[in-house]
Amino acid sequence: ISKAQMESMAGAPDQFVDLLLAQMRFTPTSHSRQVLYDFARSTQWYEWLSMVNLVLMLPEMQLA
């Protein structure tokens, strides 16, 4: 995901999370998805790149 894409999605954190998960080809549980949504909503768009690490640390990712 490019910086320009992230910046263009600044007002749509949920869509960014969905895009990130689609590009990672990963489907988390509904609880984990909600955690990612909450994180994206509580941060600025330029901090969203750290969500890659959050996804990699999800319990279901560890078991994949």
Side-chain angles (χ1 to χ4, degrees):
I1 299 174
S2 70
K3 179 182 173 185
Q5 282 179 301
M6 288 173 44
E7 191 171 3
S8 71
M9 299 180 96
D14 293 358
Q15 289 178 353
F16 175 78
V17 170
D18 293 338
L19 175 66
L20 176 66
L21 293 172
Q23 289 194 354
M24 292 182 78
R25 297 180 183 186
F26 179 67
T27 305
T29 63
S30 60
H31 178 265
S32 294
R33 186 180 294 269
Q34 188 60 50
V35 168
L36 294 171
Y37 286 155
D38 292 344
F39 176 81
R41 291 175 190 150
S42 67
T43 57
Q44 300 295 319
W45 68 267
Y46 51 83
E47 298 173 286
W48 290 350
L49 193 56
S50 61
M51 272 195 285
V52 172
N53 290 329
L54 293 177
V55 171
L56 293 173
M57 290 187 288
L58 291 173
E60 54 269 33
M61 179 61 101
Q62 298 297 311
L63 298 173

